[in-house]
Amino acid sequence: MKKNKKESIILGPMLKKLALKIGAKVMLEPTWGIVGQITFKNGKRSYFRFNTLDLNPVGSSDIAKDKDYSNFFMKSMGYPVVPNSKTFFDSNRAKALDLLNRDIDSGYVHAQKIGFPVIVKPNSGSQVVGVCKVFNKSEFYRAVKTVFKSDRIVIVQSPVSGKDYRVVVLDNKVISAYERVPLSIIGNGKSTIKELILLKQNNFLISKRDTQINIDDPRIKEKLKRQGFTMNSILDKDTKVFLLDNANLSTGGDSIDVTESVHPEFKKIAINLTKGMGLRICGVDLMIQGDIKEKPSKYWIIEINAAPGLDHYAKNGKAQEKKVEDLYFEVLKHLEK
């Protein structure tokens, strides 16, 4: 699929720069700049598309892209996955599959059974597109409608709470870990919430972070409403308000690097899970009640990602960009093997 040419993808240019250090060459397709070929000194060739590199086997990668399938295998290996997770289809697909008990109305019954609020999200995809925490029937059906614009399968599951982390594993080693904090604003006693959001968006542009905050996102309006605010509310000075329930960087979340403080047991969990799923590189998303520097007590595997893009993390600042360069340099050396 062709992507907007103006979209900033860091992987290609970064690999092109890093390849020179090991005598390799990177050829980028010139029109879109999102696919490329790496030729190493020994003549070996490797390819990439967006953030997907040649490290992972096709079967394992495809399963990782499917949240329901990956949950099945992770659960079978004894990992704690998000509870009460179940897939449902739009009416036409459910009928075609002769699974009328898995249509969206059945999904609503499931939501009632496990109790609101529930999480509604697409079965595939990344960057939390379509992920929504819903509290009632109207929000449920609206969220499902949004999911079906990009996916044929919707997951309904119980929410879990705690600190949200991504741990990136490369060949038996944790190479990156960061806490993800949901999109938020801080009041100054003068500006409306809408003005503060626009100010945050402008700060993203100044810092060359290309995250776009959708000010019309119904999830933001619902989140504000539940906290007693509207877009026209003026926040007291230093009052912090979260605008989304998810903590993904692509939706405006912030990151806190914790690579050096991950508890050895959490490192072991992430590394073993990556190997168990047949992957060499993997982003393991964890929700932890407590802190990642502490010995594991209660936590859940939210999902795994076989192509953990680091674009948004790299655009958080120069230090983060340098860290991502170091990580991709390690990836490049592993690709050569």
Side-chain angles (χ1 to χ4, degrees), residues 191-214:
S191 304
T192 65
I193 286 177
K194 183 176 182 178
E195 290 169 339
L196 291 170
I197 294 174
L198 294 174
L199 179 62
K200 183 145 195 166
Q201 179 67 75
N202 189 55
N203 288 337
F204 283 161
L205 294 174
I206 292 172
S207 64
K208 296 184 179 180
R209 178 177 169 182
D210 60 3
T211 300
Q212 294 291 322
I213 302 173
N214 179 7

Short mmCIF file of all heavy atoms in Angstrom, two decimals, residues 191-214:
data_model
loop_
_atom_site.label_atom_id
_atom_site.label_comp_id
_atom_site.label_asym_id
_atom_site.label_seq_id
_atom_site.Cartn_x
_atom_site.Cartn_y
_atom_site.Cartn_z
N SER A 191 -5.60 29.28 30.07
CA SER A 191 -5.97 28.71 28.78
C SER A 191 -7.04 27.62 28.91
O SER A 191 -7.09 26.90 29.91
CB SER A 191 -4.74 28.11 28.09
OG SER A 191 -3.72 29.07 27.95
N THR A 192 -7.87 27.53 27.87
CA THR A 192 -8.85 26.44 27.83
C THR A 192 -8.14 25.13 27.49
O THR A 192 -7.00 25.13 27.02
CB THR A 192 -9.94 26.70 26.78
OG1 THR A 192 -9.32 26.68 25.47
CG2 THR A 192 -10.62 28.04 27.00
N ILE A 193 -8.84 24.04 27.71
CA ILE A 193 -8.26 22.74 27.37
C ILE A 193 -7.95 22.66 25.88
O ILE A 193 -6.89 22.15 25.48
CB ILE A 193 -9.22 21.60 27.80
CG1 ILE A 193 -9.18 21.44 29.32
CG2 ILE A 193 -8.86 20.28 27.10
CD1 ILE A 193 -10.13 20.40 29.88
N LYS A 194 -8.84 23.19 25.06
CA LYS A 194 -8.59 23.19 23.62
C LYS A 194 -7.33 23.96 23.29
O LYS A 194 -6.50 23.52 22.48
CB LYS A 194 -9.79 23.78 22.88
CG LYS A 194 -9.65 23.75 21.36
CD LYS A 194 -10.90 24.27 20.67
CE LYS A 194 -10.75 24.19 19.15
NZ LYS A 194 -11.97 24.65 18.45
N GLU A 195 -7.15 25.11 23.91
CA GLU A 195 -5.94 25.91 23.67
C GLU A 195 -4.68 25.18 24.13
O GLU A 195 -3.64 25.25 23.48
CB GLU A 195 -6.07 27.26 24.37
CG GLU A 195 -7.10 28.18 23.75
CD GLU A 195 -7.42 29.40 24.61
OE1 GLU A 195 -7.15 29.35 25.83
OE2 GLU A 195 -7.93 30.40 24.05
N LEU A 196 -4.79 24.47 25.25
CA LEU A 196 -3.64 23.72 25.76
C LEU A 196 -3.28 22.56 24.83
O LEU A 196 -2.09 22.25 24.65
CB LEU A 196 -3.95 23.18 27.16
CG LEU A 196 -4.05 24.23 28.27
CD1 LEU A 196 -4.60 23.60 29.55
CD2 LEU A 196 -2.71 24.89 28.53
N ILE A 197 -4.30 21.94 24.24
CA ILE A 197 -4.03 20.85 23.28
C ILE A 197 -3.33 21.41 22.05
O ILE A 197 -2.34 20.83 21.56
CB ILE A 197 -5.34 20.14 22.87
CG1 ILE A 197 -5.94 19.40 24.07
CG2 ILE A 197 -5.08 19.15 21.73
CD1 ILE A 197 -7.31 18.80 23.81
N LEU A 198 -3.82 22.53 21.55
CA LEU A 198 -3.20 23.15 20.38
C LEU A 198 -1.77 23.58 20.68
O LEU A 198 -0.88 23.49 19.83
CB LEU A 198 -4.03 24.35 19.91
CG LEU A 198 -5.42 24.01 19.36
CD1 LEU A 198 -6.20 25.29 19.05
CD2 LEU A 198 -5.31 23.14 18.10
N LEU A 199 -1.54 24.05 21.91
CA LEU A 199 -0.19 24.43 22.32
C LEU A 199 0.73 23.21 22.35
O LEU A 199 1.88 23.27 21.91
CB LEU A 199 -0.23 25.09 23.71
CG LEU A 199 1.11 25.52 24.30
CD1 LEU A 199 1.76 26.59 23.42
CD2 LEU A 199 0.93 26.06 25.72
N LYS A 200 0.21 22.09 22.85
CA LYS A 200 0.99 20.86 22.88
C LYS A 200 1.32 20.40 21.46
O LYS A 200 2.44 19.97 21.18
CB LYS A 200 0.24 19.77 23.64
CG LYS A 200 1.02 18.47 23.78
CD LYS A 200 0.73 17.79 25.10
CE LYS A 200 1.74 16.71 25.41
NZ LYS A 200 1.72 16.24 26.79
N GLN A 201 0.33 20.51 20.57
CA GLN A 201 0.57 20.14 19.19
C GLN A 201 1.65 21.02 18.57
O GLN A 201 2.54 20.54 17.85
CB GLN A 201 -0.73 20.27 18.38
CG GLN A 201 -0.59 19.94 16.90
CD GLN A 201 -0.27 18.49 16.65
OE1 GLN A 201 -1.11 17.63 16.75
NE2 GLN A 201 0.98 18.18 16.31
N ASN A 202 1.61 22.31 18.88
CA ASN A 202 2.62 23.23 18.36
C ASN A 202 4.00 22.88 18.89
O ASN A 202 5.01 22.97 18.17
CB ASN A 202 2.25 24.66 18.73
CG ASN A 202 3.14 25.67 18.02
OD1 ASN A 202 3.25 25.67 16.80
ND2 ASN A 202 3.79 26.54 18.79
N ASN A 203 4.07 22.47 20.16
CA ASN A 203 5.35 22.07 20.74
C ASN A 203 5.90 20.82 20.06
O ASN A 203 7.12 20.66 19.91
CB ASN A 203 5.20 21.82 22.25
CG ASN A 203 5.01 23.10 23.03
OD1 ASN A 203 5.39 24.18 22.57
ND2 ASN A 203 4.39 23.01 24.19
N PHE A 204 4.99 19.91 19.65
CA PHE A 204 5.42 18.75 18.89
C PHE A 204 6.09 19.19 17.58
O PHE A 204 7.13 18.66 17.18
CB PHE A 204 4.23 17.84 18.55
CG PHE A 204 3.75 17.00 19.71
CD1 PHE A 204 2.48 16.44 19.70
CD2 PHE A 204 4.56 16.75 20.80
CE1 PHE A 204 2.04 15.65 20.75
CE2 PHE A 204 4.13 15.96 21.86
CZ PHE A 204 2.86 15.41 21.84
N LEU A 205 5.48 20.16 16.90
CA LEU A 205 6.02 20.64 15.63
C LEU A 205 7.38 21.30 15.83
O LEU A 205 8.31 21.09 15.04
CB LEU A 205 5.04 21.64 14.99
CG LEU A 205 3.69 21.08 14.54
CD1 LEU A 205 2.78 22.20 14.06
CD2 LEU A 205 3.89 20.05 13.43
N ILE A 206 7.49 22.08 16.89
CA ILE A 206 8.77 22.76 17.18
C ILE A 206 9.88 21.75 17.43
O ILE A 206 11.02 21.92 16.99
CB ILE A 206 8.61 23.71 18.40
CG1 ILE A 206 7.69 24.88 18.03
CG2 ILE A 206 9.97 24.22 18.87
CD1 ILE A 206 7.32 25.76 19.21
N SER A 207 9.52 20.67 18.14
CA SER A 207 10.53 19.65 18.45
C SER A 207 10.71 18.63 17.32
O SER A 207 11.41 17.64 17.48
CB SER A 207 10.14 18.92 19.74
OG SER A 207 8.92 18.21 19.57
N LYS A 208 10.01 18.88 16.18
CA LYS A 208 10.09 18.02 15.00
C LYS A 208 9.54 16.62 15.26
O LYS A 208 9.95 15.64 14.64
CB LYS A 208 11.51 17.96 14.47
CG LYS A 208 12.03 19.30 13.97
CD LYS A 208 13.40 19.21 13.36
CE LYS A 208 13.86 20.56 12.86
NZ LYS A 208 15.21 20.51 12.26
N ARG A 209 8.61 16.53 16.20
CA ARG A 209 7.89 15.28 16.43
C ARG A 209 6.61 15.36 15.63
O ARG A 209 5.78 16.24 15.85
CB ARG A 209 7.60 15.11 17.92
CG ARG A 209 6.82 13.86 18.26
CD ARG A 209 6.61 13.71 19.76
NE ARG A 209 5.65 12.65 20.06
CZ ARG A 209 5.25 12.33 21.28
NH1 ARG A 209 5.73 12.97 22.33
NH2 ARG A 209 4.36 11.36 21.45
N ASP A 210 6.41 14.44 14.68
CA ASP A 210 5.29 14.59 13.74
C ASP A 210 3.99 13.95 14.21
O ASP A 210 3.10 13.66 13.42
CB ASP A 210 5.66 14.05 12.35
CG ASP A 210 6.03 12.57 12.35
OD1 ASP A 210 5.94 11.95 13.43
OD2 ASP A 210 6.40 12.05 11.29
N THR A 211 3.85 13.74 15.51
CA THR A 211 2.59 13.24 16.07
C THR A 211 1.47 14.26 15.84
O THR A 211 1.64 15.45 16.10
CB THR A 211 2.73 12.99 17.59
OG1 THR A 211 3.76 12.02 17.78
CG2 THR A 211 1.43 12.48 18.18
N GLN A 212 0.34 13.78 15.36
CA GLN A 212 -0.82 14.64 15.15
C GLN A 212 -1.89 14.31 16.18
O GLN A 212 -2.37 13.19 16.25
CB GLN A 212 -1.38 14.44 13.74
CG GLN A 212 -0.45 14.89 12.62
CD GLN A 212 -0.28 16.40 12.58
OE1 GLN A 212 -1.23 17.14 12.82
NE2 GLN A 212 0.93 16.85 12.30
N ILE A 213 -2.26 15.28 17.00
CA ILE A 213 -3.33 15.09 17.97
C ILE A 213 -4.65 15.39 17.26
O ILE A 213 -4.84 16.49 16.73
CB ILE A 213 -3.17 16.03 19.19
CG1 ILE A 213 -1.83 15.78 19.88
CG2 ILE A 213 -4.32 15.80 20.18
CD1 ILE A 213 -1.53 16.78 20.98
N ASN A 214 -5.56 14.43 17.27
CA ASN A 214 -6.86 14.63 16.66
C ASN A 214 -7.79 15.26 17.69
O ASN A 214 -8.35 14.58 18.56
CB ASN A 214 -7.43 13.29 16.18
CG ASN A 214 -8.81 13.44 15.55
OD1 ASN A 214 -9.29 14.56 15.36
ND2 ASN A 214 -9.45 12.33 15.25
#
